[in-house]
Amino acid sequence: MGICLKGGMVVNADRSFYADVYCENGIIQLIGQNLDIPSDTKVIDVRGTFIMPGGLDPHTHMQLPSMGTVSSDDFFSGTSAAAAGGTTMIIDYVVPDKNDASMFPAYYEWRERAQKSAIDYSFHMNITSWSDKIAAEMKQLTDNEGINTYKFFLSAKGSLMLADEKLILGFEHCRKIGAMPEVHAENGDMIEFMQHKLLEQGIIDPVGHPLSRPPKVEGEATARAIMLASMVDCPIYIVHMSCKDSVSAVRRAQAAGIKVFGETCPGYLVIDESVYSNPDFTFAAAHVMSPPYRAKEHQNTLWNALHAKTISVVATDHCPFNNNQKALGKNDFTKIPNGCGTVENRLEILWHFGVNTGRLSANEFVALTSANAAQIFNIYPKKGRIEVGADADIVVWDPKKEKTISAKTHHMNVDFSVFEGITVKGCPVYTLSHGKIVYENGQLCTQKGDGQYVKRLKYTFK
Ligand code: URP
Ligand code: ZN
Ligand code: ZN
């Protein structure tokens, strides 16, 4: 039986128009007025709402082993929470072992873990060491397994960080095999230097976290990564940008014709670094992620960068840890597991603080939450567009509906919300994944295993 969404306004990244949308067999079949649909169709009256492409969150870490523990959402709880927030696809990061280990065991492990996803998913691969073997495996993963993006770390010295000589080889290789590098752009040498200094001075509390990774650390690494990639003629994607310094590096490069894409996260747009000086360790530690939340003055620059298209994607970097996990760093801020859980809140935060304030149009909202990521990661218009033939991954959005965000009521498996107490106006009323309702007016109806693995084709660079 098909579903028809009747009476709403379709909002794509490029235009909006009133139309009914009929979905069957997981696909959008018809869009228009007075549709000729089967008599047994489930017709849903969605007058007063926006019918938008379901969110595509291209940066998540479900059940990620990290810093001596594992992020607290698994692929079912995390993707269910995503659906409750209007997101219908995630791209998660596979983390292989270091020291030249094959990437395939990790890839298969992530495929196995993700079997229980409630919505569609795909993978990026972290590059944690460099060798001819890794290079050969990257080609296999890109040719055969649908992975066309590889994340390189300029931070995390002693674990994930790669030296420039390896980055150059890695970026050049991405270009060759039709893949795109992504970078975690913070200067790992400088972070280590600052962490030692701070600990020597007796600064062990979470306040040391932003002090050890100031904006310059991000600006330097962003500019360096972009320049290295451009010198081997390779497009590059900068994940989780948080500050003016990285925005100006990206803006400068784009103005010079260099192909670089920027991503930021909802928290960076609305939360500032004062959270780290809170005397309550639990509260401060719950905000520890990298890069850290910044001084308020950076937020305006990020909003402007969204409007100016310097940054084209808002992702979450969802990586939740419970308060007892964060306590691993009680006596040393460098040991606090890095990450926050926000996969459920991305759309509502961006709508409330972006669209309701007039900073963004509804069309820009769609671009930032799905369409741009679908294009950048090569799965458009299967994802990211309300169009006949596209996957019926849809969020029906009520711009008048209000809700107060709280860890007590959210669906993420984490006991803290960095957005606790914020009342947002504009929420999903229905989320459809492959034409099936997975969220309806506060009720989750996701099923384990309904999500499908989405292979992403390699790029054909000119
Ligand atoms: O603090 C963060 N961002 N944790 C997740 C891992 C990463 O670097 O994206
Ligand atoms: Zn990162
Ligand atoms: Zn991340």
Side-chain angles (χ1 to χ4, degrees), residues 59-61 64 93 151 153 184 239-240 263 289-290 316-319:
H59 190 154
T60 66
H61 304 279
L64 173 73
Y93 285 84
K151 184 178 179 190
F153 277 75
H184 181 128
V239 299
H240 48 46
E263 170 197 283
M289 67 182 286
S290 298
T316 58
D317 193 9
H318 177 76
C319 191

Side-chain angles (χ1 to χ4, degrees), residues 138-144 146-148 150 177-179 458:
M138 283 169 72
K139 179 155 169 50
Q140 288 170 36
L141 287 163
T142 297
D143 283 349
N144 308 327
I147 293 183
N148 64 18
Y150 295 90
I177 64 172
K458 66 164 117 176

